[in-house]
Amino acid sequence: MWAFFDTSALIYLIEGREPLATAVRDRLAGLVARHDGVGVALSRLTWLEARVGPMKANDAGTLQRYDDFFARPDLRWVEMTRDVVELAAAVRVRHSLRTPDALQAACCLQLGAKHWLLTGDAAFERVEGLNVVLLRTPQAPP
């Protein structure tokens, strides 16, 4: 089983934006508790998008936290091959996603049926075949 991180989910996790960071950790812990051998996967697009904010802000500490995460030997990188880009075009047309989201969806679909896409973006729920784990902030009691 693979937990594929969309950029939003990784930003929540690495930058520690609460309560979303806790939501990512809790959802991931729940998946790991229910399934053996959960691995983490991501695309080079996530690498690019996650690093832009800290680079613009000249935030070396946050950039280093990302680079430490990306250097983990247990990560599975889903590369944007020609087949992935072709699938992304079809996903974009069929589901009216923005190009970056279509690329993320196509990358995640390369993992086969045993995956979860962790994201804060509900637009991914429109894509057939994606097992979306939508990260939401916990609701305050009434």
Side-chain angles (χ1 to χ4, degrees):
M1 299 297 288
W2 292 101
F4 182 91
F5 277 75
D6 177 39
T7 306
S8 62
L10 188 62
I11 289 171
Y12 301 155
L13 181 67
I14 299 296
E15 296 188 19
R17 296 180 182 166
E18 293 297 349
L20 292 168
T22 297
V24 174
R25 287 190 299 271
D26 289 350
R27 295 301 296 268
L28 192 55
L31 295 172
V32 168
R34 289 190 306 276
H35 303 278
D36 289 332
V38 175
V40 174
L42 41 84
S43 72
R44 294 292 175 180
L45 180 59
T46 297
W47 178 85
L48 180 154
E49 290 180 324
R51 296 178 85 247
V52 167
M55 289 173 77
K56 279 184 178 178
N58 199 27
D59 183 349
T62 300
L63 188 59
Q64 187 61 54
R65 286 196 304 277
Y66 280 113
D67 288 343
D68 290 346
F69 181 86
F70 294 138
R72 292 173 41 166
D74 60 332
L75 288 181
R76 177 168 177 189
W77 290 94
V78 181
E79 302 297 348
M80 284 190 241
T81 63
R82 179 183 175 142
D83 290 342
V84 169
V85 174
E86 285 185 25
L87 178 57
V91 167
R92 179 164 161 57
V93 168
R94 190 173 304 123
H95 301 291
S96 301
L97 293 182
R98 298 176 309 119
T99 297
D101 291 343
L103 285 165
Q104 293 286 46
C107 284
C108 186
L109 289 168
Q110 299 306 299
L111 298 170
K114 295 186 176 187
H115 72 268
W116 300 283
L117 171 67
L118 283 79
T119 184
D121 188 345
F124 285 107
E125 292 182 319
R126 297 192 304 254
V127 180
E128 300 141 23
L130 277 183
N131 303 317
V132 176
V133 175
L134 191 58
L135 303 166
R136 297 280 189 207
T137 58
Q139 299 296 320

